[in-house]
Amino acid sequence: MADTAFWVHGPRDRYVSECLLATGQMEPLETRVFCKLIRGSTGFLDIGANLGYYTVLAQNLGPAGMTCVAVEPEKLNLRLLRRNVRPASGRVGVDVVPAAASDRDGHTDLHLSPDNFGDHQTTPQPNRHRRSRRVATTTLARLLARRPEIDFIKIDIQGAEPQVLGNPEAIAAMDRLGPECSVVFEFWPHALDRSAAEKLAGLADTLGLHAFDIDEERRSVGRTDAEDLLGFYDLCRAGHASRPFTNVFCTRSPQRTAWLENNRRPLDSN
């Protein structure tokens, strides 16, 4: 990972900002994978950009002229996102979209976490009473139609991933991304009911992508599929999993697939 400084929220934010203040990075394994595989991309779409961690990495590591779009609805995160992507040192310009991704254009309620600014939710968990704010929404199909050169999507939106990725318009739009199509998403069982988990777990099969589990706990990358992910879902819901969520990298790219196959322990490789 290139040396990169970020504006952060400070101690009020107990996850993203806390990690960046303590170590200078978050999700070390996913960061390593991302920094390797963003190179050569023609366009990057960051859905749930937060303060811009992955957006800034793409801005600094992607090829000159690459398209970069960051989607974030929350106003404090947006303020830091815009500050973080402003420096001229980035070789790639960033288009910031102040909206929440959804399955339709319009507006929705964003339910705000008081102490984890990466955990604002459009699909709130039961029995969690939070302040909410009305925000604009946009769709994946619309975002991709405006930027057809995008071939790399990262999405982390606290349980709303199936709604955004799994509708027919989104599936058709992603299917048109071409041979380099890559999607990395968070799979968080406690934020998903069974039907949503099945939809998300089956995304790679639906699109004809190779799927890899980025296991931060074991510091390893390995092939996965819908059956494995639903097994992980069941373990989490039963309270038997050692990690609460995972990140899944799905790709059609032969080069990205080969790199993932050959780097089962990326943190130990050059």
Side-chain angles (χ1 to χ4, degrees):
M1 172 181 165
D3 291 334
T4 306
F6 296 91
W7 292 97
V8 299
H9 290 289
R12 289 193 302 151
D13 177 19
R14 64 178 180 84
Y15 182 60
V16 174
S17 296
E18 185 176 272
C19 287
L20 291 175
L21 285 168
T23 68
Q25 65 177 333
M26 53 181 284
E27 300 172 320
L29 180 56
E30 185 177 1
T31 295
R32 179 66 181 271
V33 170
F34 181 85
C35 288
K36 286 286 186 180
L37 299 185
I38 194 62
R39 303 172 194 269
S41 177
T42 57
F44 173 58
L45 174 59
D46 189 356
I47 300 177
N50 195 275
L51 54 77
Y53 178 75
Y54 287 104
T55 302
V56 171
L57 294 181
Q59 183 185 31
N60 289 328
L61 296 173
M66 182 185 78
T67 292
C68 191
V69 180
V71 182
E72 171 59 44
E74 201 280 318
K75 65 179 184 178
L76 295 180
N77 289 345
L78 276 167
R79 187 180 304 165
L80 290 178
L81 171 63
R82 289 185 168 116
R83 293 184 77 176
N84 283 325
V85 302
R86 186 182 303 167
S89 59
R91 298 181 297 165
V92 176
V94 177
D95 180 14
V96 175
V97 179
S102 182
D103 58 353
R104 60 179 58 87
D105 293 315
H107 292 81
T108 192
D109 290 326
L110 182 67
H111 302 265
L112 306 175
S113 171
D115 59 358
N116 181 349
F117 296 172
D119 189 34
H120 305 317
Q121 300 172 7
T122 57
T123 54
Q125 303 304 296
N127 303 319
R128 289 189 182 180
H129 303 290
R130 296 180 170 188
R131 291 189 304 112
S132 65
R133 180 175 295 126
R134 201 74 174 161
V135 297
T137 61
T138 190
T139 67
L140 179 59
R142 179 177 291 274
L143 290 163
L144 294 178
R146 290 176 175 173
R147 298 288 193 173
E149 64 273 28
I150 288 170
D151 64 358
F152 195 130
I153 300 167
K154 178 238 111 189
I155 180 167
D156 182 351
I157 50 175
Q158 303 306 100
E161 291 85 358
Q163 180 186 38
V164 173
L165 297 175
N167 64 83
E169 293 80 9
I171 293 292
M174 286 186 287
D175 202 35
R176 292 191 291 267
L177 293 184
E180 297 302 306
C181 172
S182 300
V183 182
V184 58
F185 61 83
E186 182 181 74
F187 188 78
W188 181 23
H190 289 292
L192 305 170
D193 63 25
R194 182 73 187 192
S195 64
E198 289 174 353
K199 184 183 294 186
L200 192 56
L203 181 70
D205 288 342
T206 300
L207 290 170
L209 308 179
H210 306 291
F212 295 84
D213 178 22
I214 303 173
D215 187 336
E216 295 284 348
E217 183 178 80
R218 296 181 180 177
R219 303 177 67 186
S220 66
V221 174
R223 283 274 196 163
T224 192
D225 56 24
E227 183 178 356
D228 288 343
L229 289 172
L230 290 174
F232 174 65
Y233 175 88
D234 291 336
L235 284 174
C236 283
R237 299 287 289 201
H240 299 317
S242 58
R243 51 183 173 142
F245 65 89
T246 194
N247 292 296
V248 182
F249 195 106
C250 305
T251 187
R252 191 180 290 147
S253 164
Q255 291 79 16
R256 289 171 179 159
T257 298
W259 188 89
L260 289 162
E261 289 281 17
N262 293 329
N263 289 271
R264 298 302 182 96
R265 298 179 65 83
L267 286 184
D268 298 332
S269 65
N270 294 323

